């Protein structure tokens, strides 16, 4: 099976490790991964900030870049939600077609590859934050948690108030910095209360915000993308 | 604190104070979490909740599509039943109509049942300017009025106050407005309720004019409906000789049958009750029963403009249950006052800028007062896609190009150009990676970020470079 990786702009520029982990994980599961280099950004930041005219060319570009691939996989719930929910409204037929072929990573693993045990090894206590777009717009449900529970050595701890927004929200984090930070601090306090050493999520933009608060408050845990954990094995463990 | 909302600062500045006020944040957090958990339980009891939600949405959409017809039908039924209908295009006109009606009775005080519409138009202040005292009789509204405060929640206007604060307000202020608080008043709920009861009873028995809003108006019979919990509203509706109801035009429904849906969804969404304790209905006037004179003021005040907007009009489906406020993480931290309108929280963020336009600082900032987490849409009993309307209104504000948006638009354009040229994007990423040890906090927009959060460390190389080095030779670069 051959799939196209939609790495997303944030992962490309800031969190390449998540893209690399996604490639390694999919290849380990027997999937042939391609990276169409014409891809850039799905247009979500522009769209959500009210710049529809600036969004349209990016929608066209993204749709063209992934033309012809049966599956497009992305390690970002919010970018997957942008493509799935908004592309049919903003773009032409090819954008609408892309919407139906785009999968968030955990959906692809659980629904298409039909695996929950991906053979990962990660000997840590982990608490999981389900980002809003994955949770509500995509309806990821317990897929990420099932994948985490099957990881060898991993102990999953329930995050209090898990379904509450972390306060990122794209430009919201800048435009309403005080409220955004207050939300992030509550998220971090809840994560700390679990005693876990890792806060895991499936959206690096949320993790950039939560991780930023974690490090500022010197909280005793680190933020990690789900793909980084699932890519970790006994042979090549992520430490 | 009291008065109108004119000249409110933008949402971020108004919210800042609340975010750093620990008592306020604790009060809000406690109250919203309690009610949200109860609501979830009450809703889960109904197996057909999804169908009820869809039905409510469709009834409202149908009515809005034929609003002209149902309003005319309502007017003739109300008139036939002995009432008088007045049409008010805006707040000034509505206030003038009400003030003239009160003056015509020769009275100088009125009792009020809680009404969002009269708050929206600033009726109390307008009446005061005409020498007429308006007394709020809903317990929470009374607290707000005595405290010289503004409501901060649709359903629980005094949600930002705790019991101790309420006792102090009663002790200090009740005597100025009528019967004083009992000596040595404690802060137990029973004592506070009894103090309010004694204070209000005096007013109910004296008032000759009552003013109300309505949750629904039934076109087929000209009937108005109020849902409430305390019974104080019923006193306002039945004891006075003259009753004046001020209602937004979007509150009409075609038939009594339509109420069955909202009788189930509204109480569960708002107070987490299976049924609201008091449902009062009134149709015109009747001999020897209730008010002898009845006036209905139908309020537009921006509603037909809102109706003209294909995306934004869904906000008019709102039944003011406040479920969206109680689940909103932004409302929970910022409090209701920051929204600068009688409609706070997610619904306020989409309704106020539509009713009032997006010219003022506060109204232009409201569409951005959300992280678009979607919790409000999930709970809304009439399925208003609040995030969709927020983004739609952001487009309007961005187009309008007010303060800050010219710079933002230029930045978006520049970013759009870079993102349309992957080679340039890759080069930019490479520069960012190579200079990663230098002044990360000097990045544009970093100030708002780094005041409270660390910036992520830039990686040694972007993903596309790793791919070229490690994978590209294996891939033929062609599409399947
Ligand atoms: S928008 Fe929906 S949830 Fe919010 S108050 Fe109105 S009806 Fe209730």
């Amino acid at each position: 099976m051959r799939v196209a990786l939609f790495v997303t702009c944030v992962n490309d520029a800031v969190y390449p490790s998540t893209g690399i982990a996604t490639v390694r994980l999919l290849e380990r599961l027997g999937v042939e991964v391609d990276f169409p280099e014409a891809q850039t950004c799905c247009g979500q930041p522009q769209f959500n900030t009210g710049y529809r005219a600036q969004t349209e060319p990016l929608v066209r570009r993204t749709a063209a870049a992934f033309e012809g691939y049966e599956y497009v996989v992305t390690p970002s719930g919010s970018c997957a939600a942008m493509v799935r929910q908004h592309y049919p409204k903003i773009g032409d037929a090819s954008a609408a077609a892309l919407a139906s072929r785009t999968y968030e990573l955990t959906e692809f693993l659980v629904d298409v590859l039909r695996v929950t045990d991906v053979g990962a090894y990660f000997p840590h206590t982990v608490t999981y934050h389900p980002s809003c777009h994955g949770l509500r717009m995509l309806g990821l449900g317990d897929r990420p948690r099932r994948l985490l529970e099957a990881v060898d050595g991993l102990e999953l701890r329930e995050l209090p108030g898990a379904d509450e927004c972390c306060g990122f929200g794209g430009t919201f984090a800048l435009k309403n910095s005080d409220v955004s930070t207050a939300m992030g601090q509550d998220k971090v306090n809840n994560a700390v209360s679990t005693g876990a050493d890792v806060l895991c999520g499936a959206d690096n933009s949320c993790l950039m915000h939560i991780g930023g608060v974690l490090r500022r408050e010197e909280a005793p845990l680190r933020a990690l993308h789900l793909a980084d954990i699932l890519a970790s094995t006994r042979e090549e463990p992520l430490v | 604190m009291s008065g109108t909302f004119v000249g409110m600062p933008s949402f971020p500045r108004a919210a800042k104070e609340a975010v750093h006020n620990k008592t306020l944040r604790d009060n809000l957090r406690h109250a919203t979490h309690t009610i949200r958990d109860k609501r979830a339980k009450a809703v889960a009891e109904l197996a057909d909740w999804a169908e009820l939600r869809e039905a409510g949405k469709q009834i409202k959409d149908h009515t809005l599509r034929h609003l002209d017809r149902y309003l005319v039908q309502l007017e003739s039924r109300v008139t036939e039943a002995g009432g008088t209908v007045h049409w008010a295009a805006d707040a000034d006109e509505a206030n003038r109509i009400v003030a003239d009606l009160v003056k015509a009775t020769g009275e100088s005080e009125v009792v009020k049942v809680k009404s969002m519409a009269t708050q929206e138009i600033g009726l109390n202040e307008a009446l005061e300017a005409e020498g007429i005292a308006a007394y709020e009789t809903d317990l929470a509204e009374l607290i707000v009025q005595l405290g010289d405060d503004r409501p901060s929640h649709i359903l629980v206007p005094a949600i930002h106050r705790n019991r101790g604060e309420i006792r102090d307000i009663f002790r200090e202020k009740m005597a100025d407005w009528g019967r004083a608080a009992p000596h040595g008043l404690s802060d137990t709920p029973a004592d506070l309720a009894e103090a309010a009861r004694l204070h209000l009873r005096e007013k109910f028995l004296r008032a000759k004019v009552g003013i109300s809003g309505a949750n629904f108006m039934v076109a087929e019979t000209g009937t108005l409906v109020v849902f409430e919990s305390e019974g104080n509203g019923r006193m306002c509706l039945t004891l006075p000789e003259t009753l004046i109801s001020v209602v937004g035009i979007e509150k009409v429904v075609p038939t009594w049958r339509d109420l069955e849906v909202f009788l189930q969804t509204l109480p569960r969404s708002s107070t987490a009750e299976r049924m609201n304790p008091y449902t009062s209905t009134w149709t015109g006037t009747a001999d020897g029963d209730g008010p002898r004179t009845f006036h209905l003021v139908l309020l537009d005040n921006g509603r037909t403009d809102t109706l003209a907007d294909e995306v934004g009009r869904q906000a008019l489906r709102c039944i003011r249950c406040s479920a969206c406020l109680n689940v909103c993480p932004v409302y929970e931290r910022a409090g209701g006052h920051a929204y600068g309108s009688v409609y706070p929280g997610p619904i306020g963020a989409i309704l106020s800028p539509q009713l009032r336009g997006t010219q003022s600082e506060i109204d232009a900032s409201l569409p951005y007062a959300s992280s678009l987490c979607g919790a409000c849409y999930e709970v809304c009993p009439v399925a208003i896609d609040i995030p969709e309307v927020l983004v739609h209104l952001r487009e309007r504000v961005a187009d309008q190009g007010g303060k800050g948006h010219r710079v933002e638009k230029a930045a978006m354009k520049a970013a759009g150009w870079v993102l349309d040229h992957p080679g340039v994007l890759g080069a930019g990423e490479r520069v960012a990676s190579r200079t990663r040890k230098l002044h990360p906090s000097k990045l544009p927009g970093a100030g708002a970020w780094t005041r409270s959060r660390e910036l992520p460390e830039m990686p040694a190389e972007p993903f596309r470079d790793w791919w070229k080095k490690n994978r590209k030779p294996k891939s033929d670069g062609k599409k399947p």
Side-chain angles (χ1 to χ4, degrees):
Chain A
M1 183 188 286
R2 196 160 176 222
V3 308
L5 171 66
F6 173 30
V7 81
T8 83
C9 57
V10 167
N11 287 327
D12 182 15
V14 189
Y15 297 101
S17 61
T18 298
I20 297 166
T22 307
V23 173
R24 292 209 172 115
L25 170 66
L26 291 173
E27 287 178 347
R28 195 171 81 217
L29 296 169
V31 175
E32 198 186 324
V33 182
D34 203 356
F35 175 72
E37 287 177 31
Q39 64 175 283
T40 56
C41 166
C42 67
Q44 182 182 201
Q46 294 78 1
F47 182 71
N48 280 351
T49 315
Y51 295 89
R52 200 187 172 101
Q54 280 74 28
T55 312
E56 281 164 14
L58 297 177
V59 171
R60 274 199 298 279
R61 157 170 293 280
T62 307
F66 293 104
E67 191 85 51
Y69 289 98
E70 190 184 354
Y71 296 106
V72 177
V73 179
T74 179
S76 162
S78 74
C79 302
M82 171 72 192
V83 174
R84 272 250 279 286
Q85 308 273 321
H86 299 308
Y87 270 38
K89 286 184 280 174
I90 303 169
D92 57 7
S94 105
L98 177 63
S100 61
R101 291 182 285 116
T102 298
Y103 291 81
E104 185 275 337
L105 177 63
T106 68
E107 280 178 323
F108 183 73
L109 294 172
V110 175
D111 300 357
V112 181
L113 297 185
R114 302 198 169 276
V115 287
T116 45
D117 185 347
V118 297
Y121 170 71
F122 190 71
H124 295 279
T125 46
V126 174
T127 190
Y128 181 73
H129 165 62
S131 289
C132 302
H133 288 183
L135 183 72
R136 297 195 185 87
M137 287 174 83
L138 294 178
L140 293 183
D142 63 356
R143 290 179 186 84
R145 295 178 65 256
R146 276 159 62 200
L147 288 159
L148 283 171
E149 273 163 4
V151 172
D152 192 12
L154 186 150
E155 188 198 326
L156 192 62
R157 302 249 170 105
E158 282 305 323
L159 178 66
D163 60 356
E164 287 169 36
C165 178
C166 71
F168 175 63
T171 42
F172 174 78
L174 298 174
K175 286 182 190 275
N176 281 285
S177 172
D178 292 288
V179 177
S180 165
T181 300
M183 289 161 70
Q185 282 164 343
D186 287 345
K187 182 62 69 183
V188 164
N189 291 339
N190 282 337
V192 170
S193 78
T194 67
D197 14 287
V198 171
L199 180 132
C200 172
D203 232 309
N204 269 333
S205 34
C206 304
L207 293 178
M208 178 169 74
H209 163 71
I210 301 173
V213 177
L214 277 174
R215 286 189 291 133
R216 175 61 56 89
E217 316 251 294
E218 297 177 358
L221 73 173
R222 60 181 167 148
L224 265 183
H225 194 284
L226 180 67
D228 296 304
I229 293 176
L230 297 183
S232 169
T233 57
R234 271 185 197 273
E235 294 71 37
E236 282 184 82
L238 177 75
V239 284
Chain B
M1 182 53 90
S2 73
T4 63
F5 297 101
V6 176
M8 276 286 292
S10 68
F11 182 83
R13 267 189 287 140
K16 197 180 180 109
E17 206 182 306
V19 168
H20 299 289
N21 178 341
K22 193 174 174 315
T23 309
L24 177 63
R25 251 179 87 181
D26 288 350
N27 291 350
L28 280 167
R29 182 176 173 78
H30 177 73
T32 57
H33 280 251
T34 307
I35 184 89
R36 99 169 55 152
D37 295 345
K38 280 196 197 160
R39 186 212 76 100
K41 282 200 198 93
V43 164
E45 284 179 353
L46 292 183
D48 60 347
W49 183 259
E51 286 85 359
L52 284 167
R53 186 174 185 243
E54 181 60 26
K57 173 186 175 191
Q58 296 215 7
I59 291 168
K60 281 284 186 176
D61 275 351
H62 166 86
T63 317
L64 289 169
R65 208 157 43 236
H66 305 287
L67 195 59
D68 49 347
R69 192 173 98 208
Y70 289 119
L71 286 173
V72 169
Q73 187 186 9
L74 177 79
E75 179 182 35
S76 39
R77 295 295 173 276
V78 171
T79 312
E80 282 160 23
T84 310
V85 175
H86 310 258
W87 299 82
D90 57 20
D92 286 346
E93 193 175 359
N95 286 333
R96 188 157 27 81
I97 293 168
V98 178
D100 288 348
L101 289 171
V102 177
K103 278 195 251 169
T105 64
E107 293 297 317
S108 59
E109 53 182 44
V110 301
V111 286
K112 286 182 68 200
V113 39
K114 175 176 179 280
S115 147
M116 305 294 303
T118 61
Q119 282 167 11
E120 177 189 322
I121 59 177
L123 180 65
N124 290 8
E125 291 79 8
L127 291 178
E128 196 185 324
E130 302 274 350
I132 300 163
Y135 298 122
E136 295 291 348
T137 67
D138 172 89
L139 178 53
E141 285 295 338
L142 174 70
I143 295 164
V144 168
Q145 188 171 47
L146 294 178
D148 194 20
D149 200 351
R150 277 196 311 247
S152 69
H153 189 279
I154 290 179
L155 214 89
V156 202
I159 194 171
H160 56 296
R161 298 289 199 186
N162 61 33
R163 284 185 350 221
E165 292 174 297
I166 294 167
R167 180 205 48 208
D168 294 345
I169 291 170
F170 279 10
R171 278 183 179 174
E172 284 162 31
K173 296 290 181 58
M174 263 185 174
D176 299 345
W177 288 79
R179 186 182 171 125
H183 192 69
L185 176 66
S186 83
D187 69 354
T188 63
D191 280 1
L192 293 175
E194 181 62 10
R197 211 176 68 90
L198 294 171
H199 179 84
L200 289 172
R201 179 111 342 186
E202 231 179 53
K203 292 186 172 137
F204 289 134
L205 294 175
R206 199 172 61 209
K208 299 275 188 292
V209 182
I211 294 181
S212 86
N215 293 90
F216 299 96
M217 304 183 285
V218 182
E220 70 176 347
T221 52
T223 304
L224 275 68
V225 188
V226 154
F227 289 23
E228 48 137 357
S229 297
E230 295 168 2
N232 290 343
R234 176 161 295 182
M235 303 261 215
C236 286
L237 296 167
T238 49
L239 291 176
E241 288 166 10
T242 300
L243 174 61
I244 305 167
S245 301
V246 183
V247 190
I249 52 174
E250 82 283 16
K251 299 254 162 163
V252 66
V253 293
T255 67
W256 273 84
R257 180 80 201 264
D258 297 315
L259 290 177
E260 75 166 282
V261 171
F262 304 111
L263 275 162
Q264 295 177 77
T265 55
L266 180 50
R268 283 179 202 259
S269 300
S270 56
T271 46
E273 288 165 310
R274 296 184 177 115
M275 183 82 218
N276 53 299
Y278 294 86
T279 306
S280 302
T281 68
W282 63 105
T283 313
T285 53
D287 282 339
D289 181 17
R292 264 162 290 170
T293 314
F294 170 60
H295 294 276
L296 171 60
V297 181
L298 289 171
L299 178 70
D300 185 328
N301 206 32
R303 285 161 175 77
T304 48
D305 290 342
T306 306
L307 195 56
D309 186 300
E310 275 175 44
V311 178
R313 68 171 61 135
Q314 56 185 308
L316 295 178
R317 292 206 293 261
C318 178
I319 55 174
R320 313 279 189 261
C321 72
S322 73
C324 58
L325 278 64
N326 299 326
V327 297
C328 178
V330 176
Y331 173 85
E332 183 188 323
R333 273 89 184 179
H337 292 150
Y339 293 80
S341 87
V342 288
Y343 307 108
I347 182 61
I350 61 167
L351 194 58
S352 304
Q354 294 201 85
L355 295 180
R356 305 192 296 210
T358 47
Q359 303 308 318
S360 73
E361 212 184 321
I362 182 77
D363 287 312
S365 70
L366 286 177
Y368 298 92
S370 166
S371 63
L372 304 180
C373 80
C376 49
Y377 178 31
E378 195 174 58
V379 296
C380 178
V382 285
I384 300 173
D385 191 340
I386 296 176
E388 181 187 28
V389 182
L390 286 166
V391 169
H392 174 72
L393 294 174
R394 288 177 186 189
E395 264 180 66
R396 190 183 291 178
V397 174
D399 273 353
Q400 194 173 291
K403 204 178 154 212
H405 285 94
R406 268 182 294 276
V407 181
E408 189 179 87
K409 194 171 196 162
M412 285 288 176
K413 266 199 177 145
W417 185 82
V418 172
L419 292 169
D420 212 13
H421 295 80
V424 180
L425 174 66
E429 287 170 350
R430 244 159 268 142
V431 171
S433 289
R434 291 211 190 102
T435 57
R436 66 193 203 272
K437 302 270 186 269
L438 310 167
H439 315 297
S441 58
K442 295 271 155 48
L443 290 173
W449 185 276
T450 51
R451 263 197 301 279
S452 51
R453 289 156 289 204
E454 296 296 320
L455 279 169
E457 275 175 39
M458 287 304 278
E461 61 178 3
F463 176 82
R464 51 183 79 234
D465 287 4
W466 176 87
W467 177 267
K468 274 198 197 109
K469 276 191 224 152
N470 296 281
R471 286 296 186 277
K472 200 172 184 194
K474 276 200 277 164
S475 152
D476 56 11
K478 285 200 199 99
K479 290 178 178 179

